[in-house]
Amino acid sequence: MARPHRLPNPAVFICDIQEKFRPAIHEYSKVISTAQKVLKASATLNIPVFATTQNAARLGPICPELSLPPSTFQADKTAFSMMVPSLRSALSSEKSSSYQVAIVGIETHICVTQTALDLIAQGHRVYVLADGVSSCNEGERGIALRRLESEGAVVTTSEGWLYECMGDASIDEFKAIAGLVKETKEKTSDAVQTLCKI
């Protein structure tokens, strides 16, 4: 399959979407549904996926409904940033030295923020998908997203990022992605209405 045209080296980061956090995170079901859509699109567009858990021995595994693809690089961590040595090494062993990284997960103001800042410092372009990140305290999200924009991250939506990845309706994968967008329209609308008030 051809690579997306507009973003030459996209990657997806799934940050700590673990079962134990389900009752605590604001609108967690919407974070999960956005992550599911991004994962399906990543398979279609052949985008590498990197996922972490935060102290899995204590906080448990990634939510089972995410169904991570077998090629996903996974790391457990106690650091708040996803950019632990094993993930840095895996990212650098890929084809490019600079990626356009989309981040979904939790918590916006802690692990997502520190991951984004580390990626930016290493020369990567960061896209924080506002309909796919949340925190325990709803008010933390907007402050964190505004900070990340000021630090150079792009705060956008999952749909906006997917279409930017493609860049052109003539690519082979467009029909499948357009179908995915249609299939997830209601859940996307709910997530955007709830989580994209910055």
Side-chain angles (χ1 to χ4, degrees):
M1 293 223 180
R3 269 285 190 206
H5 293 180
R6 189 171 180 90
L7 301 183
N9 297 301
V12 168
F13 275 33
I14 307 288
C15 186
D16 306 347
I17 304 181
Q18 292 161 260
E19 187 62 33
K20 191 101 171 193
F21 294 116
R22 196 181 294 267
I25 299 293
H26 173 69
E27 298 289 357
Y28 202 35
S29 63
K30 292 173 176 58
V31 173
I32 291 169
S33 68
T34 298
Q36 288 174 311
K37 176 174 70 177
V38 169
L39 284 167
K40 286 179 184 175
S42 297
T44 300
L45 295 169
N46 198 27
I47 296 172
V49 176
F50 301 83
T52 57
T53 48
Q54 180 71 23
N55 195 2
R58 196 168 68 83
L59 298 172
I62 288 175
C63 293
E65 62 264 47
L66 288 188
S67 302
L68 294 175
S71 60
T72 301
F73 176 85
Q74 296 186 59
D76 188 43
K77 63 188 179 63
T78 56
F80 298 121
S81 173
M82 290 178 70
M83 294 300 285
V84 294
S86 62
L87 196 148
R88 284 178 199 240
S89 177
L91 192 63
S92 66
S93 72
E94 292 284 332
K95 299 174 188 173
S96 176
S97 61
S98 179
Y99 285 87
Q100 301 84 46
V101 179
I103 304 176
V104 294
I106 61 167
E107 287 188 70
T108 314
H109 63 299
I110 304 172
C111 298
V112 170
T113 289
Q114 292 185 36
T115 300
L117 294 175
D118 285 349
L119 284 162
I120 291 166
Q122 292 174 25
H124 302 286
R125 184 78 163 143
V126 175
Y127 295 77
V128 180
L129 306 188
D131 54 331
V133 295
S134 194
S135 298
C136 290
N137 297 318
E138 178 183 359
E140 299 278 9
R141 294 182 69 262
I143 292 168
L145 293 173
R146 283 193 294 274
R147 178 192 175 188
L148 287 169
E149 271 191 322
S150 74
E151 298 278 0
V154 176
V155 176
T156 188
T157 63
S158 57
E159 188 171 318
W161 182 75
L162 288 175
Y163 277 86
E164 192 167 347
C165 276
M166 293 187 295
D168 192 318
S170 69
I171 67 169
D172 294 342
E173 301 90 348
F174 174 76
K175 187 174 181 181
I177 298 298
L180 175 63
V181 167
K182 185 175 181 181
E183 172 191 322
T184 58
K185 181 180 179 181
E186 284 186 26
K187 286 185 176 181
T188 298
S189 178
D190 288 345
V192 168
Q193 292 300 319
T194 306
L195 295 175
C196 293
K197 295 172 185 171
I198 300 172

